[in-house]
Amino acid sequence: MKRIAHCIVGALLAAGVGCEKSNASFVDHLAIVNISPSHGAVRVGYDSTVVVTFSGALVADESGPTPLLPVGAACLTSLASPPASAADPCAGEGTVGTEVEYAPSALTVTLVPDEALLPDETYTVHLTPLLEGQDAGPLSAVVRASFRTIPTN
């Protein structure tokens, strides 16, 4: 660490002089910047969508009119109908019908439920390693965030 600090200071003081055999390594990875509704949110509206913002552009099939993410990359489940597999939550039974939209210019993925969400229900958004950054590789694990809708009374 001391060697890296000396290299940085030296480079700043003598512009153009580089460091040899630096021990520094940089790891770039895909990060989730924001999920809305946030994890633990309550009293979420029945007509809500889930918006996830990423740190960089995602790999998507852009051959059609809208960019498409891999099937199973993101999904929504409910407590009443949990996923069949915790390791692969977006495969098979248990997912809430949603359209997954990707907006490359905004770095966002939006999950739009096919129908209104049920009252007083806990929902979980699942983001899987099938989501891959163009420059940063895939998510390192399944990421989950839950929220609860408005109760009826």
Side-chain angles (χ1 to χ4, degrees), residues 52-74:
V52 183
T53 306
F54 290 89
S55 59
L58 301 176
V59 173
D61 176 0
E62 297 192 39
S63 61
T66 59
L68 299 174
L69 296 172
V71 173

Side-chain angles (χ1 to χ4, degrees), residues 39-55:
H39 180 65
V42 295
R43 305 187 63 76
V44 173
Y46 311 131
D47 61 347
S48 294
T49 60
V50 176
V51 180
V52 183
T53 306
F54 290 89
S55 59

Side-chain angles (χ1 to χ4, degrees), residues 12-42:
L12 291 174
L13 294 176
V17 176
C19 295
E20 293 181 30
K21 297 183 182 180
S22 171
N23 293 332
S25 66
F26 299 95
V27 178
D28 195 11
H29 63 280
L30 181 63
I32 296 169
V33 176
N34 188 50
I35 299 176
S36 178
S38 61
H39 180 65
V42 295

Side-chain angles (χ1 to χ4, degrees), residues 18-137:
C19 295
E20 293 181 30
K21 297 183 182 180
S22 171
N23 293 332
S25 66
F26 299 95
V27 178
D28 195 11
H29 63 280
L30 181 63
I32 296 169
V33 176
N34 188 50
I35 299 176
S36 178
S38 61
H39 180 65
V42 295
R43 305 187 63 76
V44 173
Y46 311 131
D47 61 347
S48 294
T49 60
V50 176
V51 180
V52 183
T53 306
F54 290 89
S55 59
L58 301 176
V59 173
D61 176 0
E62 297 192 39
S63 61
T66 59
L68 299 174
L69 296 172
V71 173
C75 65
L76 191 63
T77 61
S78 71
L79 191 60
S81 181
S85 166
D88 193 6
C90 298
E93 300 293 321
T95 61
V96 173
T98 54
E99 181 177 339
V100 178
E101 301 171 351
Y102 173 50
S105 61
L107 305 177
T108 60
V109 171
T110 303
L111 287 82
V112 182
D114 294 341
E115 298 178 4
L117 300 176
L118 298 174
D120 203 23
E121 179 65 65
T122 299
Y123 289 91
T124 302
V125 60
H126 304 269
L127 307 166
T128 75
L130 291 174
L131 291 167
E132 184 175 350
Q134 289 181 0
D135 299 323

